[in-house]
Amino acid sequence: MKISSFPILTGLLVGWSVTACTDEAVTPQEEPAASPREFFVLASKDGQRWDTWGTGIYSQAKGEFYVSGSDTTFGVLIRKSLTIAFSLPKGQPLSSAQALPAQWLEVVGGDIINDRYSTAGPTSLPSIRITGLDTVQKIVEGRFEATLRRDKHFTDKAEEMRYTKGSFRVRYQVSAF
């Protein structure tokens, strides 16, 4: 009777390849998964996933877009929101978007600012890349990264908040102002 080593080698190779695929599947992804919402602001906020509803306004008078993402904690009614702004020069490609100052606010009860972070000046403006603009359906899409510094009114320390791998897709309203 002749014994073949072929089935044994095949079994070892299959077992090794399954183990290799399992290890690879555990590796974390670079980009956050897409948002389940149609209109959203999504980013890694200080290393944690932040995915919230997104809205936008286009100021015709200034030629500026304001994109906001916010969430509300019910019970205490605390609203936390990030607003990033940019302008698109007329007749220029979408890639020529000019970033404007950004801010993050924590508002309690609808009118009391409890905490605030903002860009520290023109050298710390967010990086913004517009990837789509539909002026008929009024939808703007893009990617962003921002580092905001806590306002001195709330602390003497130089605390920062970082948004990385950010993306947004919002429906915007047009304002004459």
Side-chain angles (χ1 to χ4, degrees), residues 10-171:
T10 304
L12 288 172
L13 285 174
V14 169
W16 175 77
S17 65
V18 168
T19 304
C21 290
T22 304
D23 289 343
E24 191 173 312
V26 176
T27 306
Q29 295 179 337
E30 276 292 312
E31 296 292 323
S35 176
R37 300 177 175 93
E38 182 179 8
F39 301 109
F40 62 89
V41 176
L42 170 67
S44 175
K45 177 183 169 192
D46 292 331
Q48 300 293 316
R49 181 182 170 92
W50 189 68
D51 183 3
T52 188
W53 299 102
T55 60
I57 295 175
Y58 173 69
S59 167
Q60 284 182 320
K62 295 179 181 180
E64 298 174 351
F65 284 88
Y66 301 89
V67 173
S68 296
S70 64
D71 53 32
T72 303
T73 304
F74 295 104
V76 183
L77 195 59
I78 298 174
R79 182 174 183 221
K80 299 174 184 177
S81 62
L82 169 70
T83 302
I84 54 176
F86 58 92
S87 64
L88 287 173
K90 290 192 183 268
Q92 298 295 317
L94 295 180
S95 61
S96 64
Q98 301 296 311
L100 299 170
Q103 74 173 357
W104 178 89
L105 288 174
E106 181 178 290
V107 178
V108 178
D111 61 354
I112 300 169
I113 297 176
N114 192 47
D115 203 356
R116 179 178 166 154
Y117 288 70
S118 56
T119 49
T123 58
S124 66
L125 292 176
S127 90
I128 296 178
R129 185 172 49 116
I130 305 307
T131 58
L133 176 63
D134 183 337
T135 58
V136 174
Q137 293 191 24
K138 296 182 176 51
I139 297 172
V140 63
E141 300 177 59
R143 299 197 176 281
F144 70 96
E145 294 207 358
T147 299
L148 308 177
R149 178 166 281 151
R150 194 173 209 179
D151 287 4
K152 290 181 182 180
H153 176 75
F154 298 101
T155 186
D156 291 334
K157 300 175 187 174
E159 297 176 43
E160 292 186 340
M161 180 182 293
R162 297 182 198 285
Y163 289 89
T164 58
K165 302 176 201 156
S167 62
F168 61 86
R169 182 175 194 272
V170 299
R171 185 178 302 275

